[in-house]
Amino acid sequence: MNTKTIHIVYTDDAFLLKGVEKARAQGFIIGEVYSPFPVHGLDQALGLKKSRLSIAAFVYGSLGLLVAAWLTYYTMIVDWPQNFGGKPNATFWLNSPSFVPTLFEFTIFFAAHLLVLTFLWRSKLFPFKKADNPNPRTTSDQFLLEIEVPTTALIQVESLFAETHPLHIAIIEENTDE
Amino acid sequence: MSQNNPPHTEDILLQGAKSYLSVSDDISAIVEAKTSRTWWLCMGAALAFLAWGGYCMYLTLTEGIGVWGLNKTVGWAWDITNFVWWVGIGHAGTLISAVLLLFRQKWRLAINRSAEAMTIFAVLQASIFPIIHMGRPWKVFWNIPYPNTMGSLWVNFNSPLLWDVLAISTYLSVSLVFWWIGLLPDFAMLRDKVKSKYKQKLYALMSFGWVGTAKNWQRFEEVSLTLAGLATALVVSVHTIVSFDFATSVVPGWHTTIFPPYFVAGAIFSGFAMVNVLLILTRKACRLESYITPYHFDKMNLVMLVTSCIIGVAYLSELFMAWYSGNPAEQYAFLNRIAGPYAWGYWIMISCNVILPQVLWSKKIRYNLWATFIISIFINVGMWFERFVIIVTSLHRDNLPSSWTMFSPTYVDIGIFLGTIGFFFALFLLYARTFPLIAQAELKTVLKTSAESFAVADSQNSTTDEH
């Protein structure tokens, strides 16, 4: 490998954004960005793809609706078409107003829970997961930009990023991240 | 922030000079601090109430529902009153965290965490009542449509009480995950900040290994927004379904189409009142005065004023429709509320819910925390009576005069209610000692724009332009 990992630490989100722009302009590969809060415009600056979680939630909600429709149809119309207080139950349609609350709650239940599980799964978050942020301050007040810099450009890094006001810049040795 | 008036010194979301670091310091100081004597005293009181409530529940389970004050005419009274009251209180949390997020209201940020905690603890209390008020609560699982050896014998999806099961379980579980997702970055902050090894382990477990990468944040925001959209629909549906317990009946005084929106408005009303009460105490006890400012209470009081007016209109609509219906049973039901043996309950409800909150038109009173505290307490009392009046006055005198009767609670009814209050406060006190009380990660996104002054931690960076 002829690149080195560089950690640039900022104390302000505006400077972080400048740093990201700088790194992209220089053609350095951005490994990761750690920030204590969602920085507005960071995903555009990094060129991150839009998240598809909301689409997933729509699919999950539709699934919940179908499950509830099947459940109410099967139990109330097909399996035991009983007379409950004169409610019409010859067809699903006739009894459908009574099923609306069930259909609605199942839709929300499936959409919300499967969305959250998908989020945790995609982001690899789970109980007992060891946190691997390189700097504990990045969860409270510091911003860390991790970039891959070719060894040839290593000497200029300090001066290149000086105008983005970093708190400090550190060269990380290979395979000694922790 | 205010355009026309001279700038109100209180119209700021964060008082004092705050930096990203000092916000984290303030939040973690609460969990690092030694547990105070006041906390133990409050916890002791809460646990005493809980123990008494637990004993009353034990009595109910072992002796039967007959230990309550219910009779053959009034089959629902304190149990369902308390259930609806607690569910209603829970609604403000979702309103604050979900609806205000959709409307991009920045003032939600300092209060959403506690409001959501309140939701979860209140809905937990509410969920006790549907189980404890059953004659055979050990068969509660029959509410679940699971395949079984009875044929399979299913549930009846026509019943609002079954819809309640679906609504409350969905509401509780979705609120819980919504709350927890929001907590991840704050638990991570505590994990990286607290001194003791034991606490580090605890917060590491609770933060699920959150590190705040750019992609994590992007997904976090998308999930928050999507969940907020779902929770908004959910919050409206849950209290609607709770109101269906009454509205779909044939009882005069219950059979009303106005109930769904009117119950939801009442839920927001009582919920905000409870948030006010809890936050006025919490900000004092945890020294969060610079985060939860009079400005927040002004906003919450405004919401209470609006919802008070909505339920005022609903009360009037009910009266008008009763008169306009020409239905003697309906007319009598309302006459009985106004001037019957429970008229005192009706007038407590009217004075606490409609008349008293009108003082909130005054900006001075909205900014006054003492006034807010007292009014909020009265609103919670009034909203309890609203549910009591709707349930009991409609039941104790309905279509057949020969089954008219009265209702009075026994000490067991009252004990269980007090027990849930104790349980609620015990949970809230535990929360206030161990959880990040303010959604600090999200609050930091508005720090530069909404704080009284933004202190840049590192002075060498403060000279240059921002944005």
Side-chain angles (χ1 to χ4, degrees):
Chain A
M1 287 290 259
N2 54 353
T3 61
K4 284 260 185 208
T5 306
I6 307 281
H7 283 175
I8 309 176
V9 176
Y10 294 97
T11 54
D12 193 291
D13 43 340
F15 302 141
L16 171 76
L17 285 174
K18 280 187 183 165
V20 169
E21 275 167 32
K22 190 81 182 168
R24 295 247 296 177
Q26 293 293 322
F28 299 147
I29 299 161
I30 297 173
E32 199 60 89
V33 177
Y34 300 90
S35 66
F37 57 84
V39 176
H40 182 70
L42 182 61
D43 42 356
Q44 287 96 319
L46 286 168
L48 290 183
K49 269 195 235 154
K50 200 189 165 306
S51 161
R52 290 165 297 173
L53 283 167
S54 50
I55 301 167
F58 179 79
V59 174
Y60 298 146
S62 311
L63 178 71
L65 186 69
L66 287 176
V67 168
W70 171 80
L71 186 66
T72 46
Y73 172 70
Y74 176 70
T75 60
M76 300 290 292
I77 312 294
V78 176
D79 205 20
W80 296 80
Q82 293 204 103
N83 185 338
F84 291 114
K87 289 254 182 174
N89 60 357
T91 65
F92 182 80
W93 179 249
L94 280 172
N95 206 347
S96 61
S98 280
F99 300 153
V100 169
T102 308
L103 300 179
F104 189 89
E105 296 301 325
F106 267 73
T107 307
I108 303 275
F109 187 91
F110 274 62
H113 286 293
L114 293 177
L115 166 70
V116 167
L117 289 176
T118 310
F119 163 68
L120 295 176
W121 169 59
R122 291 292 290 160
S123 306
K124 297 187 184 65
L125 298 167
F126 50 88
F128 297 107
K129 188 196 175 187
K130 209 171 143 33
D132 54 0
N133 45 341
N135 176 353
R137 289 286 289 269
T138 56
T139 50
S140 51
D141 69 318
Q142 291 184 359
F143 305 79
L144 191 145
L145 171 62
E146 187 182 282
I147 49 175
E148 301 289 326
V149 176
T151 33
T152 47
L154 217 49
I155 350 149
Q156 320 157 16
V157 165
E158 196 97 21
S159 57
L160 269 175
F161 283 91
E163 63 181 86
T164 65
H165 307 286
L167 183 66
H168 55 80
I169 297 176
I171 301 166
I172 308 298
E173 295 304 319
E174 285 301 317
N175 302 328
T176 52
D177 268 66
E178 271 295 293
Chain B
M1 208 160 274
S2 54
Q3 311 87 325
N4 306 326
N5 309 333
H8 210 296
T9 47
E10 286 144 337
D11 280 6
I12 35 175
L13 294 179
L14 280 120
Q15 288 174 347
K18 294 289 172 198
S19 67
Y20 296 139
L21 187 61
S22 67
V23 172
S24 297
D25 286 342
D26 291 347
I27 307 305
S28 65
I30 297 166
V31 299
E32 293 274 45
K34 220 174 148 289
T35 309
S36 70
R37 187 186 295 270
T38 327
W39 189 90
W40 282 111
L41 277 173
C42 293
M43 194 59 165
L47 289 178
F49 274 97
L50 174 57
W52 178 240
Y55 170 69
C56 289
M57 285 182 210
Y58 168 78
L59 266 185
T60 309
L61 289 176
T62 52
E63 303 290 317
I65 289 291
V67 294
W68 292 2
L70 301 176
N71 52 54
K72 284 176 79 173
T73 300
V74 183
W76 270 358
W78 275 55
D79 47 352
I80 299 302
T81 300
N82 298 334
F83 164 69
V84 182
W85 187 72
W86 277 120
V87 177
I89 283 178
H91 276 40
T94 318
L95 252 294
I96 288 170
S97 55
V99 179
L100 298 183
L101 170 65
L102 295 184
F103 286 106
R104 304 281 176 195
Q105 293 295 303
K106 289 176 185 172
W107 60 271
R108 80 178 193 282
L109 286 169
I111 56 175
N112 54 359
R113 177 65 42 73
S114 299
E116 285 167 49
M118 188 197 75
T119 292
I120 287 153
F121 305 149
V123 177
L124 262 175
Q125 305 316 317
S127 65
I128 289 172
F129 289 100
I131 298 170
I132 197 98
H133 93 304
M134 296 174 74
R136 296 171 186 82
W138 48 91
K139 291 192 181 347
V140 63
F141 63 95
W142 283 5
N143 276 302
I144 303 163
Y146 67 99
N148 53 62
T149 55
M150 292 176 281
S152 290
L153 192 61
W154 305 110
V155 294
N156 171 12
F157 282 100
N158 288 313
S159 167
L161 300 184
L162 183 71
W163 308 341
D164 266 352
V165 174
L166 301 172
I168 299 297
S169 51
T170 303
Y171 188 47
L172 184 58
S173 63
V174 171
S175 302
L176 190 65
V177 295
F178 190 19
W179 189 49
W180 206 271
I181 293 299
L183 276 160
L184 293 179
D186 298 344
F187 280 145
M189 181 276 285
L190 290 177
R191 171 197 71 209
D192 292 343
K193 214 167 167 61
V194 289
K195 309 257 167 3
S196 89
K197 274 269 172 299
Y198 157 72
K199 281 182 185 166
Q200 281 171 2
K201 279 218 165 65
L202 182 73
Y203 291 119
L205 171 67
M206 299 208 284
S207 64
F208 290 13
W210 174 272
V211 289
T213 63
K215 193 69 194 173
N216 278 3
W217 279 121
Q218 188 201 28
R219 292 194 183 118
F220 176 91
E221 293 207 289
E222 178 130 345
V223 167
S224 304
L225 203 58
T226 313
L227 279 181
L230 292 169
T232 304
L234 185 60
V235 78
V236 174
S237 79
V238 168
H239 224 68
T240 296
I241 288 173
V242 169
S243 82
F244 282 166
D245 294 351
F246 313 102
T248 60
S249 73
V250 293
V251 177
W254 280 8
H255 184 72
T256 319
T257 52
I258 203 175
F259 268 11
Y262 151 47
F263 267 53
V264 174
I268 300 165
F269 183 55
S270 65
F272 271 71
M274 191 59 120
V275 174
N276 272 343
V277 170
L278 289 177
L279 285 185
I280 287 173
L281 299 173
T282 309
R283 80 192 278 274
K284 190 94 191 137
C286 299
R287 300 184 207 296
L288 290 171
E289 285 96 339
S290 45
Y291 295 91
I292 304 168
T293 66
Y295 178 70
H296 291 92
F297 292 104
D298 171 54
K299 290 288 186 203
M300 287 195 281
N301 284 335
L302 276 174
V303 175
M304 289 195 334
L305 178 61
V306 170
T307 46
S308 162
C309 293
I310 293 174
I311 61 173
V313 169
Y315 292 160
L316 289 177
S317 308
E318 279 192 325
L319 290 178
F320 172 78
M321 289 311 295
W323 166 76
Y324 188 66
S325 69
N327 178 340
E330 185 77 10
Q331 287 170 345
Y332 181 75
F334 281 89
L335 199 66
N336 182 44
R337 277 188 199 176
I338 295 167
Y342 291 109
W344 52 274
Y346 184 81
W347 291 108
I348 289 176
M349 163 186 120
I350 293 287
S351 8
C352 292
N353 292 352
V354 183
I355 298 169
L356 177 67
Q358 296 307 313
V359 301
L360 294 174
W361 287 100
S362 149
K363 190 168 184 172
K364 226 180 175 155
I365 289 176
R366 290 201 305 270
Y367 270 94
N368 184 324
L369 298 197
W370 272 107
T372 302
F373 188 77
I374 291 163
I375 292 166
S376 299
I377 297 264
F378 272 111
I379 287 172
N380 276 317
V381 172
M383 283 308 295
W384 191 89
F385 272 99
E386 183 197 291
R387 276 70 202 249
F388 179 79
V389 164
I390 289 171
I391 292 169
V392 172
T393 63
S394 307
L395 285 177
H396 87 119
R397 287 185 178 179
D398 62 355
N399 290 309
L400 198 62
S402 65
S403 54
W404 284 8
T405 182
M406 289 294 288
F407 166 81
S408 56
T410 64
Y411 75 92
V412 185
D413 283 297
I414 300 165
I416 292 176
F417 179 49
L418 295 179
T420 55
I421 291 177
F423 195 4
F424 175 80
F425 277 100
L427 289 170
F428 197 84
L429 283 163
L430 275 179
Y431 154 80
R433 277 302 288 122
T434 49
F435 274 52
L437 291 192
I438 285 177
Q440 51 91 30
E442 289 177 89
L443 190 68
K444 282 171 187 168
T445 61
V446 300
L447 205 57
K448 281 185 184 170
T449 49
S450 303
E452 188 173 31
S453 75
F454 175 67
V456 176
D458 197 357
S459 56
Q460 70 172 46
N461 294 326
S462 62
T463 47
T464 46
D465 57 322
E466 281 169 13
H467 292 282

